[in-house]
Amino acid sequence: MDIDQPNNGSFVDFGGGVQLLPGGGARAALPALLVGICVSGAVGNLLVLLVFHRDFRRARGSEVKALLAAAACADLALLLLCGPVRAVAYHRRSWTLGGFACSTADWLQHACVVAKTLILAATSHAKTEPLAVAVPGGGGGGVRATWIPPALALIWTVAALLPLPLLLFASLQPHGADGDAYVCVSETPACAADFMGLFYKIYPALGFALPIAFTLARYVKALHTAVNMHAATSASGSSSSGKVTLVLLCATGANALLLLPEWSAFTWTRLGHNRPPVGLAVFAQILVYSSGCALPTILMSMYDDVRAGVAGLWFACTCRGTGRHAAKRNINRCPRNEENGAEAGAHASGGLGGVDEHEAMSSPTPQEPDDGKTFPDVEHFWTGRRNTHVEPDQDPVPWERDEKML
């Protein structure tokens, strides 16, 4: 089958990723790059989900965190279910995954992308107009947002129905002189050309342009209001709310910029224009999967709750891994919750370097001189300043004496 000249004159494009890539270097480099992006993005989204899970267990959850966790789940579905299919298509140069995978590849990718875009739009609504009811002392995360599960079910339903024509018109076609190889193509029948032409004009607007414009407009308005409120009242609460709004605005903007090339190429080619160069099409698809890494990267670098949660998870894993060895050495590397910073620092400094108890006993330590002489300022400081009479030239805090004389 000739991809450029279909038999029935209808439009034909690759489904499930660009196939028949020229050159041997691309067959090895592109799958490796895509797998690396998918693995790193999956790890980042899992860390974000673990942090939000701990926050809800400790009654520090919110509507925004619940929706961001749903967006992370959409990223996980995109990276783990769609990424490997593209990697195999790049490597094999033909379609070897069967007809079911060919029919659902583009549909599933678009469903995940549209679902994440709509979830980010719902997050902007939850941030600017929260609807949750606080539950004092509740064990369910501190908030009761009954509207979130139905909203997520509606979002995923809409995201699955919007790209449904992509599932209907994807099929396997033989390729090559012998016909032993197959390619996955998206072919529009001549009888459905008018309907699909209208669909390709409405679908990008509903699935990408309108939700992104709505989300950016809500965040810009909320950020402008928070800045004005902070300038008028200098309240710390408004500053914190504005910072979270800025984080969400950056996440939405990054998602829009990374998806824009793919949506542009999708709309351009399906409206009857020539297909873009192979390199541009592959680059646009790589950016789609890079968007799955953008959200956890922004949250872990800019969102204080997520950054502190990741640090807490790392600290808990480190303490759990070294707790057994520390118990044998009688060294407490992890401070207790009731300890203050000085006590925590003392425990941490006691465990640095992994010095053994016998080595510590044999190592030379500073001792008091044998002649009984001590430094008056050090003795005066570490005994709680029980001595009230100190010579003026030996007082370690002379400014207090000056204040008493005033």
Side-chain angles (χ1 to χ4, degrees), residues 10-315:
S10 61
F11 173 76
V12 174
D13 189 20
F14 286 114
V18 177
Q19 299 150 56
L20 305 178
L21 288 174
R27 297 180 57 186
L30 288 178
L33 176 61
L34 190 58
V35 169
I37 292 174
C38 293
V39 171
S40 59
V43 172
N45 284 286
L46 286 176
L47 285 176
V48 170
L49 289 176
L50 287 176
V51 169
F52 287 153
H53 177 68
R54 290 187 64 186
D55 287 346
F56 276 93
R57 288 188 59 185
R58 298 179 179 183
R60 292 185 300 187
S62 64
E63 291 175 304
V64 172
K65 291 181 179 180
L67 291 173
L68 288 177
C73 292
D75 279 338
L76 279 176
L78 175 68
L79 296 171
L80 298 180
L81 298 180
C82 303
V85 174
R86 258 63 180 182
V88 172
Y90 292 155
H91 180 67
R92 296 289 186 180
R93 299 186 70 247
S94 60
W95 194 264
T96 59
L97 300 177
F100 178 78
C102 173
S103 301
T104 58
D106 279 351
W107 169 78
L108 184 58
Q109 174 177 307
H110 279 260
C112 295
V113 169
V114 173
K116 181 183 176 181
T117 304
L118 296 178
I119 289 172
L120 291 178
T123 306
S124 67
H125 178 75
K127 183 66 183 69
T128 55
E129 297 180 7
L131 301 176
V133 179
V135 182
V143 295
R144 180 179 297 167
T146 56
W147 67 272
I148 291 182
L152 291 178
L154 178 62
I155 285 173
W156 277 102
T157 302
V158 171
L161 292 178
L162 273 180
L164 194 60
L166 301 179
L167 184 146
L168 299 177
F169 298 123
S171 61
L172 289 176
Q173 298 292 342
H175 175 72
D178 299 333
D180 54 349
Y182 291 88
V183 292
C184 180
V185 297
S186 177
E187 182 179 2
T188 302
C191 59
D194 295 336
F195 168 75
M196 293 304 295
L198 180 63
F199 168 77
Y200 289 137
K201 295 177 182 178
I202 297 177
Y203 171 57
L206 295 179
F208 176 73
L210 292 180
I212 290 296
F214 171 80
T215 306
L216 294 178
R218 295 295 293 267
Y219 283 146
V220 170
K221 181 181 178 181
L223 190 61
H224 183 265
T225 303
V227 170
N228 292 337
M229 185 181 300
H230 177 67
T233 61
S234 298
S236 60
S238 62
S239 177
S240 176
S241 177
K243 187 175 181 180
V244 175
T245 304
L246 180 61
V247 172
L248 298 177
L249 176 62
C250 293
T252 304
N255 183 68
L257 291 177
L258 292 173
L259 295 179
L260 183 60
E262 174 65 18
W263 278 108
S264 300
F266 176 86
T267 307
W268 179 265
T269 54
R270 280 161 176 77
L271 289 181
H273 302 281
N274 294 328
R275 291 197 304 272
V278 176
L280 182 60
V282 173
F283 178 71
Q285 292 183 7
I286 293 296
L287 289 183
V288 170
Y289 293 95
S290 299
S291 66
C293 304
L295 180 63
T297 302
I298 292 175
L299 292 180
M300 288 188 288
S301 60
M302 298 180 63
Y303 198 0
D304 292 338
D305 291 351
V306 176
R307 186 169 62 245
V310 172
L313 287 175
W314 173 259
F315 192 69

Side-chain angles (χ1 to χ4, degrees), residues 323-336:
R324 207 172 284 175
H325 301 286
K328 293 180 180 179
R329 302 179 187 177
N330 197 18
I331 298 176
N332 187 10
R333 296 177 183 266
C334 305
R336 305 182 185 90

